[in-house]
Each structure stands twice: as C-alpha cells, then as structure tokens.
Coordinates of all heavy atoms in Angstrom, one line a residue:
M1 N 147.3 -39.7 -112.7 CA 147.9 -38.4 -112.2 C 147.3 -38.0 -110.8 O 148.1 -37.6 -110.0 CB 147.7 -37.3 -113.2 CG 148.5 -36.1 -113.0 SD 150.3 -36.5 -113.1 CE 150.9 -34.9 -113.2
T2 N 146.0 -38.1 -110.7 CA 145.4 -37.8 -109.4 C 145.8 -38.7 -108.3 O 146.0 -38.2 -107.2 CB 143.9 -37.8 -109.6 OG1 143.5 -37.0 -110.7 CG2 143.2 -37.3 -108.4
I3 N 146.0 -40.0 -108.6 CA 146.4 -40.9 -107.5 C 147.8 -40.6 -107.1 O 148.1 -40.7 -105.9 CB 146.2 -42.4 -108.0 CG1 144.8 -42.6 -108.2 CG2 146.9 -43.3 -107.1 CD1 144.4 -44.0 -108.6
I4 N 148.7 -40.2 -108.0 CA 150.0 -39.9 -107.6 C 150.0 -38.6 -106.7 O 150.7 -38.6 -105.7 CB 150.9 -39.6 -108.9 CG1 151.0 -40.9 -109.6 CG2 152.2 -39.1 -108.5 CD1 151.7 -40.8 -111.0
R5 N 149.3 -37.6 -107.0 CA 149.2 -36.4 -106.2 C 148.6 -36.8 -104.8 O 149.1 -36.3 -103.8 CB 148.3 -35.4 -106.8 CG 149.0 -34.7 -108.0 CD 148.2 -33.6 -108.5 NE 148.8 -33.0 -109.7 CZ 148.3 -32.0 -110.4 NH1 147.1 -31.6 -110.1 NH2 148.9 -31.5 -111.4
L6 N 147.6 -37.6 -104.8 CA 147.0 -38.0 -103.5 C 148.0 -38.8 -102.7 O 148.1 -38.5 -101.5 CB 145.7 -38.9 -103.8 CG 144.9 -39.3 -102.6 CD1 144.4 -38.1 -101.8 CD2 143.8 -40.2 -103.0
A7 N 148.7 -39.7 -103.3 CA 149.7 -40.5 -102.5 C 150.8 -39.6 -102.0 O 151.3 -39.7 -100.9 CB 150.3 -41.6 -103.4
A8 N 151.3 -38.6 -102.8 CA 152.3 -37.7 -102.4 C 151.8 -36.8 -101.3 O 152.6 -36.6 -100.3 CB 152.7 -36.8 -103.6
G9 N 150.6 -36.4 -101.3 CA 150.0 -35.6 -100.2 C 149.9 -36.4 -98.9 O 150.2 -35.9 -97.9
A10 N 149.5 -37.6 -99.1 CA 149.4 -38.5 -97.9 C 150.7 -38.7 -97.3 O 150.9 -38.7 -96.0 CB 148.7 -39.8 -98.2
M11 N 151.7 -38.9 -98.1 CA 153.1 -39.2 -97.6 C 153.6 -37.9 -96.9 O 154.3 -38.0 -95.8 CB 154.0 -39.6 -98.7 CG 153.7 -41.0 -99.2 SD 154.7 -41.5 -100.6 CE 156.2 -41.8 -99.8
L12 N 153.4 -36.8 -97.5 CA 153.8 -35.5 -96.8 C 153.1 -35.3 -95.5 O 153.7 -34.9 -94.5 CB 153.5 -34.3 -97.8 CG 153.9 -33.0 -97.3 CD1 155.4 -32.9 -97.1 CD2 153.4 -31.9 -98.2
A13 N 151.8 -35.6 -95.4 CA 151.1 -35.4 -94.2 C 151.6 -36.4 -93.1 O 151.8 -36.0 -91.9 CB 149.6 -35.7 -94.4
M14 N 151.9 -37.6 -93.5 CA 152.5 -38.5 -92.5 C 153.9 -38.1 -92.0 O 154.2 -38.2 -90.8 CB 152.6 -39.9 -93.1 CG 151.2 -40.6 -93.2 SD 151.3 -42.3 -93.7 CE 152.3 -42.4 -95.1
A15 N 154.7 -37.5 -92.9 CA 156.0 -37.1 -92.5 C 155.9 -35.9 -91.6 O 156.7 -35.8 -90.6 CB 156.8 -36.7 -93.8
L16 N 155.0 -35.0 -91.9 CA 154.9 -33.8 -91.0 C 154.2 -34.1 -89.7 O 154.5 -33.4 -88.7 CB 154.1 -32.7 -91.7 CG 154.9 -32.1 -92.9 CD1 154.0 -31.1 -93.6 CD2 156.2 -31.5 -92.5
S17 N 153.4 -35.1 -89.6 CA 152.7 -35.4 -88.3 C 153.7 -36.0 -87.3 O 153.5 -35.9 -86.1 CB 151.6 -36.5 -88.6 OG 152.2 -37.7 -88.9
G18 N 154.8 -36.5 -87.7 CA 155.9 -36.9 -86.8 C 156.6 -35.8 -86.1 O 157.4 -36.0 -85.2
C19 N 156.5 -34.6 -86.6 CA 157.3 -33.5 -86.1 C 156.6 -32.7 -85.0 O 157.1 -31.7 -84.5 CB 157.5 -32.5 -87.2 SG 158.5 -33.2 -88.6
V20 N 155.4 -33.2 -84.6 CA 154.6 -32.5 -83.6 C 154.9 -33.0 -82.2 O 155.0 -34.2 -82.0 CB 153.1 -32.6 -83.8 CG1 152.3 -31.9 -82.8 CG2 152.8 -32.0 -85.2
T21 N 155.2 -32.1 -81.2 CA 155.5 -32.5 -79.9 C 154.2 -32.3 -79.0 O 153.6 -31.2 -79.1 CB 156.6 -31.7 -79.3 OG1 157.8 -31.8 -80.1 CG2 157.0 -32.2 -77.9
T22 N 153.8 -33.3 -78.3 CA 152.6 -33.2 -77.6 C 152.8 -32.6 -76.2 O 154.0 -32.5 -75.8 CB 151.9 -34.6 -77.4 OG1 152.8 -35.4 -76.6 CG2 151.7 -35.3 -78.7
E23 N 151.8 -32.2 -75.5 CA 151.9 -31.6 -74.2 C 152.5 -32.6 -73.2 O 153.3 -32.2 -72.3 CB 150.5 -31.2 -73.7 CG 150.0 -30.0 -74.4 CD 150.8 -28.7 -74.3 OE1 151.3 -28.5 -73.1 OE2 151.0 -28.0 -75.2
A24 N 152.2 -33.9 -73.3 CA 152.8 -34.9 -72.5 C 154.3 -35.0 -72.7 O 155.0 -35.2 -71.7 CB 152.1 -36.3 -72.7
E25 N 154.7 -34.9 -73.9 CA 156.2 -34.9 -74.2 C 156.8 -33.7 -73.6 O 158.0 -33.8 -73.1 CB 156.4 -35.1 -75.7 CG 156.0 -36.4 -76.2 CD 156.1 -36.4 -77.8 OE1 155.8 -35.4 -78.4 OE2 156.3 -37.5 -78.3
Y26 N 156.2 -32.5 -73.8 CA 156.8 -31.3 -73.2 C 156.9 -31.5 -71.6 O 157.9 -31.1 -71.0 CB 155.9 -30.1 -73.5 CG 156.2 -29.5 -74.8 CD1 155.2 -29.3 -75.7 CD2 157.5 -29.1 -75.2 CE1 155.4 -28.7 -77.0 CE2 157.7 -28.6 -76.4 CZ 156.7 -28.3 -77.3 OH 157.0 -27.8 -78.5
R27 N 155.8 -32.0 -71.0 CA 155.8 -32.2 -69.6 C 157.0 -33.1 -69.2 O 157.7 -32.8 -68.2 CB 154.5 -32.7 -69.1 CG 154.4 -33.1 -67.7 CD 154.4 -31.9 -66.8 NE 154.4 -32.3 -65.4 CZ 153.8 -31.6 -64.5 NH1 153.2 -30.5 -64.8 NH2 153.7 -32.0 -63.3
A28 N 157.2 -34.2 -69.9 CA 158.2 -35.2 -69.5 C 159.6 -34.5 -69.7 O 160.5 -34.7 -68.8 CB 158.1 -36.4 -70.4
M29 N 159.8 -33.7 -70.8 CA 161.1 -33.1 -71.0 C 161.3 -32.0 -69.9 O 162.4 -31.9 -69.4 CB 161.1 -32.4 -72.3 CG 161.2 -33.4 -73.5 SD 161.4 -32.6 -75.1 CE 160.0 -31.6 -75.3
D30 N 160.3 -31.3 -69.5 CA 160.4 -30.3 -68.4 C 160.7 -30.9 -67.1 O 161.6 -30.4 -66.4 CB 159.1 -29.5 -68.3 CG 158.9 -28.5 -69.5 OD1 159.8 -28.4 -70.3 OD2 157.8 -28.0 -69.6
E31 N 160.1 -32.0 -66.8 CA 160.3 -32.7 -65.5 C 161.8 -33.2 -65.5 O 162.5 -33.1 -64.5 CB 159.4 -33.9 -65.3 CG 158.0 -33.5 -64.9 CD 157.0 -34.6 -64.7 OE1 157.4 -35.8 -64.9 OE2 155.9 -34.3 -64.4
Q32 N 162.2 -33.8 -66.6 CA 163.6 -34.2 -66.7 C 164.6 -33.1 -66.5 O 165.6 -33.2 -65.8 CB 163.9 -35.0 -68.0 CG 165.3 -35.5 -68.2 CD 165.6 -36.5 -67.1 OE1 164.7 -37.3 -66.6 NE2 166.8 -36.5 -66.6
R33 N 164.3 -31.9 -67.1 CA 165.2 -30.8 -67.0 C 165.2 -30.3 -65.6 O 166.3 -29.9 -65.1 CB 164.6 -29.7 -67.9 CG 165.6 -28.5 -68.1 CD 165.1 -27.7 -69.2 NE 166.0 -26.5 -69.4 CZ 165.7 -25.5 -70.2 NH1 164.6 -25.5 -70.9 NH2 166.5 -24.5 -70.3
C34 N 164.1 -30.2 -64.9 CA 164.0 -29.7 -63.5 C 164.8 -30.7 -62.6 O 165.5 -30.3 -61.7 CB 162.6 -29.5 -63.0 SG 161.8 -28.1 -63.8
R35 N 164.7 -32.0 -62.9 CA 165.4 -33.0 -62.1 C 166.9 -32.8 -62.3 O 167.7 -33.0 -61.4 CB 165.0 -34.4 -62.5 CG 163.7 -34.8 -61.8 CD 163.4 -36.3 -62.0 NE 162.1 -36.6 -61.7 CZ 161.1 -36.7 -62.6 NH1 161.4 -36.7 -63.9 NH2 159.9 -37.0 -62.2
S36 N 167.3 -32.5 -63.6 CA 168.7 -32.3 -63.8 C 169.3 -31.1 -63.1 O 170.5 -31.0 -62.8 CB 169.0 -32.1 -65.3 OG 168.6 -30.9 -65.8
Y37 N 168.4 -30.1 -62.7 CA 168.8 -29.0 -61.9 C 168.9 -29.3 -60.5 O 169.4 -28.5 -59.7 CB 167.9 -27.8 -62.1 CG 167.8 -27.2 -63.5 CD1 166.6 -26.7 -64.0 CD2 168.9 -27.2 -64.3 CE1 166.6 -26.1 -65.2 CE2 168.9 -26.6 -65.5 CZ 167.7 -26.1 -66.0 OH 167.7 -25.5 -67.2
G38 N 168.5 -30.5 -60.1 CA 168.6 -30.9 -58.7 C 167.3 -30.8 -57.9 O 167.3 -31.1 -56.7
F39 N 166.2 -30.4 -58.5 CA 164.9 -30.4 -57.8 C 164.3 -31.7 -57.7 O 164.4 -32.6 -58.6 CB 164.0 -29.4 -58.5 CG 164.5 -28.0 -58.6 CD1 164.7 -27.4 -59.8 CD2 164.7 -27.3 -57.5 CE1 165.2 -26.1 -59.9 CE2 165.2 -26.0 -57.5 CZ 165.5 -25.4 -58.8
R40 N 163.6 -32.0 -56.6 CA 162.9 -33.3 -56.4 C 161.4 -33.1 -56.5 O 160.8 -32.0 -56.2 CB 163.3 -33.9 -55.1 CG 164.7 -34.2 -55.0 CD 165.1 -35.3 -56.0 NE 166.6 -35.3 -56.2 CZ 167.1 -35.4 -57.4 NH1 166.4 -35.4 -58.4 NH2 168.4 -35.4 -57.5
T41 N 160.7 -34.2 -57.0 CA 159.3 -34.1 -57.3 C 158.3 -33.5 -56.3 O 157.6 -32.6 -56.6 CB 158.7 -35.4 -57.8 OG1 159.5 -36.5 -57.2 CG2 158.8 -35.5 -59.3
P42 N 158.2 -34.0 -55.1 CA 157.2 -33.4 -54.2 C 157.8 -32.2 -53.5 O 158.1 -32.2 -52.3 CB 156.9 -34.5 -53.2 CG 158.1 -35.3 -53.1 CD 158.8 -35.2 -54.4
G43 N 157.8 -31.1 -54.2 CA 158.4 -29.9 -53.6 C 157.9 -28.6 -54.4 O 157.6 -28.6 -55.6
E44 N 158.0 -27.5 -53.6 CA 157.6 -26.2 -54.2 C 158.6 -25.8 -55.2 O 158.2 -25.2 -56.3 CB 157.4 -25.2 -53.1 CG 156.9 -23.9 -53.6 CD 156.7 -22.9 -52.5 OE1 156.7 -23.3 -51.3 OE2 156.6 -21.7 -52.8
A45 N 159.9 -26.0 -55.0 CA 160.9 -25.6 -56.0 C 160.7 -26.3 -57.3 O 160.9 -25.7 -58.4 CB 162.3 -25.9 -55.4
F46 N 160.4 -27.6 -57.2 CA 160.2 -28.4 -58.5 C 159.0 -27.8 -59.2 O 159.0 -27.6 -60.5 CB 159.9 -29.9 -58.1 CG 159.8 -30.8 -59.3 CD1 161.0 -31.2 -60.0 CD2 158.6 -31.2 -59.8 CE1 160.9 -32.0 -61.1 CE2 158.5 -32.0 -60.9 CZ 159.7 -32.4 -61.5
S47 N 157.9 -27.5 -58.5 CA 156.7 -26.9 -59.2 C 157.0 -25.6 -59.8 O 156.6 -25.2 -60.9 CB 155.6 -26.8 -58.2 OG 155.2 -28.0 -57.7
N48 N 157.8 -24.7 -59.1 CA 158.2 -23.4 -59.6 C 159.1 -23.6 -60.9 O 159.0 -22.8 -61.8 CB 159.0 -22.6 -58.5 CG 158.0 -22.1 -57.5 OD1 156.8 -21.9 -57.7 ND2 158.6 -21.8 -56.3
C49 N 160.0 -24.6 -60.9 CA 160.8 -24.9 -62.0 C 159.9 -25.2 -63.2 O 160.1 -24.6 -64.3 CB 161.8 -26.0 -61.7 SG 162.8 -26.5 -63.2
L50 N 158.9 -26.1 -63.0 CA 158.0 -26.4 -64.1 C 157.2 -25.2 -64.6 O 157.0 -25.0 -65.8 CB 157.0 -27.5 -63.7 CG 157.6 -28.9 -63.5 CD1 156.5 -29.8 -62.9 CD2 158.2 -29.5 -64.7
M51 N 156.8 -24.4 -63.7 CA 156.0 -23.2 -64.0 C 156.9 -22.2 -64.9 O 156.4 -21.7 -65.9 CB 155.5 -22.5 -62.8 CG 154.7 -21.3 -63.1 SD 154.1 -20.4 -61.6 CE 155.6 -19.9 -60.9
E52 N 158.1 -22.0 -64.5 CA 159.0 -21.1 -65.2 C 159.3 -21.6 -66.6 O 159.3 -20.8 -67.6 CB 160.3 -21.0 -64.4 CG 160.2 -20.1 -63.2 CD 159.8 -18.7 -63.4 OE1 160.2 -18.1 -64.5 OE2 159.1 -18.1 -62.6
L53 N 159.5 -22.9 -66.8 CA 159.7 -23.5 -68.1 C 158.4 -23.3 -69.0 O 158.5 -23.0 -70.2 CB 160.1 -25.0 -68.0 CG 161.4 -25.3 -67.4 CD1 161.6 -26.8 -67.3 CD2 162.5 -24.6 -68.2
D54 N 157.3 -23.5 -68.4 CA 156.0 -23.3 -69.1 C 155.8 -21.8 -69.5 O 155.4 -21.5 -70.6 CB 154.8 -23.8 -68.3 CG 153.6 -23.8 -69.1 OD1 153.5 -24.3 -70.2 OD2 152.6 -23.2 -68.6
L55 N 156.1 -20.9 -68.6 CA 156.0 -19.5 -68.9 C 157.0 -19.1 -70.0 O 156.7 -18.3 -70.9 CB 156.3 -18.7 -67.6 CG 155.1 -18.7 -66.6 CD1 155.6 -18.0 -65.3 CD2 153.9 -18.2 -67.1
D56 N 158.2 -19.6 -70.0 CA 159.2 -19.4 -71.0 C 158.7 -19.8 -72.4 O 158.9 -19.1 -73.4 CB 160.5 -20.0 -70.7 CG 161.3 -19.4 -69.5 OD1 160.9 -18.2 -69.1 OD2 162.2 -20.0 -69.0
R57 N 158.1 -21.0 -72.4 CA 157.6 -21.6 -73.7 C 156.4 -20.7 -74.2 O 156.3 -20.4 -75.4 CB 157.1 -23.0 -73.5 CG 156.8 -23.7 -74.8 CD 156.4 -25.1 -74.6 NE 157.6 -25.9 -74.1 CZ 157.7 -26.5 -72.9 NH1 156.7 -26.4 -72.1 NH2 158.8 -27.1 -72.5
A58 N 155.6 -20.2 -73.3 CA 154.5 -19.4 -73.7 C 155.0 -18.0 -74.2 O 154.4 -17.5 -75.2 CB 153.5 -19.1 -72.5
A59 N 156.0 -17.5 -73.6 CA 156.6 -16.2 -74.0 C 157.2 -16.4 -75.4 O 157.1 -15.5 -76.3 CB 157.6 -15.7 -73.0
E60 N 157.8 -17.5 -75.6 CA 158.4 -17.8 -76.9 C 157.4 -17.9 -78.0 O 157.5 -17.4 -79.1 CB 159.3 -19.0 -76.9 CG 159.9 -19.4 -78.2 CD 160.9 -18.4 -78.7 OE1 161.4 -17.6 -77.9 OE2 161.1 -18.4 -80.0
R61 N 156.2 -18.6 -77.7 CA 155.1 -18.7 -78.7 C 154.6 -17.3 -79.0 O 154.3 -17.0 -80.2 CB 154.0 -19.5 -78.1 CG 154.1 -21.0 -78.4 CD 152.8 -21.7 -78.0 NE 152.4 -21.4 -76.7 CZ 152.5 -22.3 -75.7 NH1 153.0 -23.5 -75.9 NH2 152.1 -22.0 -74.5
R62 N 154.4 -16.4 -78.0 CA 153.9 -15.0 -78.2 C 154.9 -14.3 -79.1 O 154.5 -13.5 -80.0 CB 153.7 -14.3 -76.9 CG 152.4 -14.7 -76.2 CD 152.1 -13.7 -75.1 NE 153.2 -13.6 -74.1 CZ 153.3 -14.4 -73.1 NH1 152.5 -15.4 -72.9 NH2 154.3 -14.2 -72.2
R63 N 156.2 -14.4 -78.8 CA 157.2 -13.7 -79.6 C 157.2 -14.2 -81.1 O 157.2 -13.3 -82.0 CB 158.6 -14.0 -79.0 CG 159.7 -13.1 -79.7 CD 161.1 -13.6 -79.3 NE 161.4 -14.9 -79.7 CZ 161.8 -15.2 -80.9 NH1 161.9 -14.3 -81.9 NH2 162.1 -16.5 -81.2
R64 N 157.1 -15.5 -81.3 CA 157.0 -16.0 -82.7 C 155.7 -15.5 -83.4 O 155.8 -15.1 -84.5 CB 157.1 -17.5 -82.7 CG 158.5 -18.0 -82.7 CD 158.6 -19.5 -82.9 NE 158.2 -20.0 -81.6 CZ 157.7 -21.2 -81.4 NH1 157.5 -22.0 -82.4 NH2 157.5 -21.7 -80.2
F65 N 154.6 -15.5 -82.7 CA 153.4 -15.0 -83.2 C 153.4 -13.5 -83.6 O 153.0 -13.1 -84.6 CB 152.2 -15.3 -82.3 CG 150.9 -14.8 -82.9 CD1 150.2 -15.6 -83.8 CD2 150.3 -13.6 -82.4 CE1 149.0 -15.1 -84.4 CE2 149.1 -13.2 -83.0 CZ 148.5 -14.0 -83.9
D66 N 154.0 -12.7 -82.7 CA 154.1 -11.3 -82.9 C 155.0 -11.0 -84.1 O 154.8 -10.1 -84.9 CB 154.7 -10.6 -81.7 CG 153.7 -10.5 -80.6 OD1 152.5 -10.7 -80.9 OD2 154.1 -10.2 -79.4
R67 N 156.1 -11.8 -84.3 CA 157.0 -11.6 -85.5 C 156.2 -12.0 -86.7 O 156.4 -11.3 -87.7 CB 158.2 -12.5 -85.3 CG 159.3 -11.9 -84.4 CD 160.5 -12.7 -84.4 NE 161.0 -13.0 -85.7 CZ 161.8 -14.0 -86.0 NH1 162.3 -14.8 -85.0 NH2 162.2 -14.2 -87.2
F68 N 155.5 -13.1 -86.7 CA 154.7 -13.5 -87.8 C 153.6 -12.5 -88.2 O 153.5 -12.1 -89.3 CB 154.0 -14.9 -87.6 CG 153.1 -15.3 -88.6 CD1 153.6 -15.9 -89.8 CD2 151.7 -15.2 -88.5 CE1 152.8 -16.3 -90.8 CE2 150.9 -15.6 -89.5 CZ 151.4 -16.2 -90.7
D69 N 153.0 -11.9 -87.2 CA 151.9 -11.0 -87.4 C 152.5 -9.7 -87.9 O 151.9 -9.0 -88.8 CB 151.2 -10.7 -86.1 CG 149.9 -10.0 -86.3 OD1 149.2 -10.2 -87.3 OD2 149.5 -9.3 -85.4
A70 N 153.7 -9.3 -87.4 CA 154.3 -8.0 -87.9 C 154.7 -8.1 -89.4 O 154.7 -7.2 -90.1 CB 155.5 -7.7 -87.0
S71 N 155.1 -9.4 -89.8 CA 155.5 -9.5 -91.2 C 154.3 -9.3 -92.2 O 154.6 -9.1 -93.4 CB 156.1 -10.9 -91.4 OG 155.1 -11.9 -91.3
F72 N 153.1 -9.3 -91.7 CA 152.0 -9.1 -92.6 C 151.4 -7.7 -92.4 O 150.3 -7.4 -92.8 CB 150.9 -10.1 -92.3 CG 151.2 -11.5 -92.9 CD1 151.5 -12.5 -92.1 CD2 151.1 -11.6 -94.3 CE1 151.8 -13.7 -92.6 CE2 151.4 -12.9 -94.8 CZ 151.8 -13.9 -94.0
G73 N 152.1 -6.8 -91.7 CA 151.7 -5.4 -91.6 C 150.9 -5.1 -90.3 O 150.2 -4.1 -90.2
G74 N 151.1 -6.0 -89.3 CA 150.4 -5.7 -88.0 C 149.2 -6.5 -87.8 O 148.8 -7.3 -88.7
P75 N 148.5 -6.3 -86.7 CA 147.3 -7.1 -86.4 C 146.2 -6.7 -87.4 O 146.0 -5.6 -87.8 CB 146.9 -6.6 -85.0 CG 147.8 -5.5 -84.6 CD 148.9 -5.4 -85.7
W76 N 145.5 -7.8 -87.8 CA 144.4 -7.6 -88.7 C 143.2 -7.0 -88.0 O 143.0 -7.1 -86.8 CB 143.9 -8.9 -89.3 CG 145.0 -9.5 -90.2 CD1 145.9 -10.4 -89.9 CD2 145.2 -9.0 -91.5 NE1 146.8 -10.6 -90.9 CE2 146.4 -9.8 -92.0 CE3 144.6 -8.1 -92.4 CZ2 146.9 -9.6 -93.2 CZ3 145.2 -8.0 -93.7 CH2 146.3 -8.7 -94.1
G77 N 142.4 -6.2 -88.7 CA 141.2 -5.6 -88.2 C 141.4 -4.2 -87.8 O 140.5 -3.5 -87.3
Y78 N 142.6 -3.7 -88.0 CA 142.9 -2.3 -87.6 C 143.1 -1.4 -88.8 O 143.6 -0.3 -88.8 CB 144.2 -2.2 -86.7 CG 143.9 -2.7 -85.4 CD1 144.4 -4.0 -85.0 CD2 143.2 -2.0 -84.4 CE1 144.2 -4.5 -83.8 CE2 143.0 -2.5 -83.2 CZ 143.5 -3.8 -82.8 OH 143.2 -4.3 -81.6
G79 N 142.7 -1.9 -90.0 CA 142.7 -1.1 -91.2 C 143.9 -1.2 -92.0 O 144.1 -0.5 -93.0
Y80 N 144.9 -2.0 -91.7 CA 146.1 -2.2 -92.5 C 146.2 -3.5 -93.1 O 145.7 -4.5 -92.5 CB 147.4 -1.9 -91.6 CG 147.4 -0.5 -91.0 CD1 147.0 -0.3 -89.7 CD2 147.9 0.5 -91.8 CE1 147.1 1.0 -89.2 CE2 148.0 1.8 -91.3 CZ 147.6 2.0 -90.0 OH 147.6 3.3 -89.5
G81 N 146.7 -3.6 -94.2 CA 146.8 -5.0 -94.9 C 148.1 -5.1 -95.6 O 148.6 -4.2 -96.2
W82 N 148.7 -6.3 -95.5 CA 149.9 -6.7 -96.2 C 151.1 -5.8 -96.1 O 152.0 -5.8 -96.9 CB 149.6 -7.0 -97.7 CG 148.6 -8.0 -97.9 CD1 147.3 -7.9 -98.2 CD2 148.8 -9.4 -97.7 NE1 146.6 -9.1 -98.2 CE2 147.5 -10.1 -97.9 CE3 149.9 -10.2 -97.3 CZ2 147.4 -11.4 -97.8 CZ3 149.7 -11.6 -97.2 CH2 148.5 -12.2 -97.4
G83 N 151.2 -5.1 -95.0 CA 152.4 -4.3 -94.7 C 152.6 -3.1 -95.5 O 153.7 -2.5 -95.5
Y84 N 151.7 -2.6 -96.3 CA 151.9 -1.4 -97.1 C 151.6 -0.1 -96.3 O 152.0 1.0 -96.8 CB 151.0 -1.4 -98.4 CG 151.4 -2.6 -99.3 CD1 150.5 -3.6 -99.5 CD2 152.6 -2.5 -99.9 CE1 150.9 -4.6 -100.4 CE2 153.0 -3.6 -100.8 CZ 152.1 -4.6 -101.0 OH 152.4 -5.6 -101.8
G85 N 151.1 -0.2 -95.2 CA 150.9 1.0 -94.4 C 149.7 1.9 -94.8 O 149.7 3.0 -94.4
R86 N 148.9 1.4 -95.7 CA 147.8 2.3 -96.1 C 146.5 1.8 -95.6 O 146.3 0.6 -95.3 CB 147.7 2.3 -97.7 CG 147.5 1.0 -98.3 CD 147.6 1.0 -99.7 NE 147.8 -0.4 -100.2 CZ 147.3 -0.9 -101.2 NH1 146.5 -0.2 -102.0 NH2 147.4 -2.2 -101.5
R87 N 145.6 2.6 -95.4 CA 144.2 2.3 -94.9 C 143.4 1.7 -96.1 O 143.5 2.1 -97.2 CB 143.5 3.5 -94.3 CG 144.3 4.0 -93.1 CD 143.3 4.4 -92.1 NE 144.0 4.8 -90.9 CZ 143.8 4.1 -89.8 NH1 143.0 3.2 -89.7 NH2 144.5 4.5 -88.8
W88 N 142.6 0.8 -95.8 CA 141.7 0.2 -96.8 C 140.5 1.1 -97.1 O 140.0 1.8 -96.4 CB 141.2 -1.1 -96.3 CG 142.2 -2.2 -96.3 CD1 143.6 -2.0 -96.2 CD2 142.0 -3.6 -96.4 NE1 144.2 -3.2 -96.2 CE2 143.3 -4.2 -96.3 CE3 140.9 -4.4 -96.5 CZ2 143.5 -5.5 -96.4 CZ3 141.1 -5.7 -96.6 CH2 142.4 -6.3 -96.5

C-alpha cells in the first residue's frame, strides 16, 4: 500500500513539474511578442516593449497574490485570521 502511494505521489509530482514556465521561456515568448509588434532587437523601443511585458506580468502576480491573501481575511500579522473579522 505504501509503495502504491509513493508511486502515485511521484507520478503526480512529475506531471505537475511540466507545468512550470521558466524565466528563459518567458523571455523567449516576450521577445517573440515584441518582434511580432514590429520592434527590432538592438533598439530602445524593443527594450521598452520587454520592460512593459515584464511589468504587466509582475502586476498580474501582485493582483493574484492580493486576491489569494484577501480570501484568508487580509494580510497576516495584523490580528485577523481566516476572514472572520475578529481580533485574536
């Protein structure tokens, strides 16, 4: 029984590890996207395009984190827990 659980856990870990996008993959996708807009590599406009895409991705991460944090009742350490609105 333990070996079956171990094998199932290993298979799940391998399946989920394929879903992660690395920074190099993001960079390649961003460069391709900026090229599709007509920007060329050695230029300020191309660099600005990459920067804007990176800033958009960072803002999306913050938005997702804030939504996740709000679902648990706000930031931890301020006296609220699990969204009940009462002080500990």
